[in-house]
Amino acid sequence: MSDTTIVADHGHSSTGLSNTKLAMWLFLGSECLLFGGLISTYMLYRNRQGNAIGPDQLWDIPFTSASSFVLLMSSLTMVLAVTAAKRHDDRNTKVWLSVTALLGSLFVAGQVYEFTTFYNEGLGYTTSLFSSSFYTLTGFHGVHVSVGVIMLLAVVGMIAKNRMPGDRPEVVELVGLYWHFVDIVWILIFTLVYLIPA
């Protein structure tokens, strides 16, 4: 057997995934545990508001549904960005990444508006166990969306300056994996928090 047949590909793990993609999947697995704990805590405490204002007096389902639709549409634009990156179409990659970042920003702005409204109605972070668990769960998700928006804009900047480290389509795909994860988590949160009555 010659030495050339034993050479390993150092950029890929034994699973066939690149090391960076495997690292992203492991990171997302740990994020599943984090959100699993936060969702479980919310489900335990959602009926514990005491004499304070409760979810049935607060939720604006049409507004939150519209905000959720905006976030879900950003998954479509992310797919278009990944497709453009695989075609090495830098212009459309930047356009779709920017649109995705804009939609994510609109979602976060909607969440800030919702939190402000709830606070003005008398629901502070420490008002009850329900409010603490609600703000922690949805707030952590909002932070994740904000981080995703920063990642998207950073990739747009790197493409514009032609300073992308590594394989450009793979970098866009990795950001896309994170973005889709954030969207899937929101579908779960929206269903359990807003649509299923306490």
Side-chain angles (χ1 to χ4, degrees), residues 126-177:
T126 57
T127 304
S128 64
L129 287 172
F130 153 70
S131 66
S132 297
S133 59
F134 167 76
Y135 282 125
T136 302
L137 172 59
T138 54
F140 258 97
H141 180 266
V143 167
H144 279 73
V145 175
S146 300
V147 168
V149 168
I150 292 167
M151 289 166 63
L152 290 163
L153 294 175
V155 171
V156 169
M158 286 187 282
I159 292 172
K161 293 179 180 178
N162 204 20
R163 292 185 177 174
M164 180 69 73
D167 182 34
R168 186 172 294 181
E170 185 180 56
V171 171
V172 175
E173 188 179 352
L174 290 174
V175 174
L177 281 174

Side-chain angles (χ1 to χ4, degrees), residues 33-113:
L33 295 175
L34 169 70
F35 278 105
L38 291 173
I39 290 170
S40 299
T41 303
Y42 172 80
M43 297 304 282
L44 283 172
Y45 293 142
R46 67 182 182 163
N47 290 322
R48 303 219 186 147
Q49 67 260 18
N51 296 325
I53 196 165
D56 51 333
Q57 300 148 286
L58 288 172
W59 297 160
D60 182 353
I61 299 298
F63 176 81
T64 311
S65 298
S67 184
S68 301
F69 179 75
V70 166
L71 189 64
L72 293 180
M73 283 299 97
S74 72
S75 264
L76 172 62
T77 58
M78 189 70 234
V79 168
L80 294 170
V82 170
T83 303
K86 287 181 178 174
R87 288 196 318 258
H88 302 286
D89 179 355
D90 287 351
R91 181 183 166 278
N92 281 324
T93 302
K94 289 186 293 184
V95 166
W96 291 120
L97 286 173
S98 299
V99 172
T100 305
L102 175 64
L103 293 172
S105 299
L106 285 172
F107 173 82
V108 172
Q111 198 169 42
V112 169
Y113 168 78

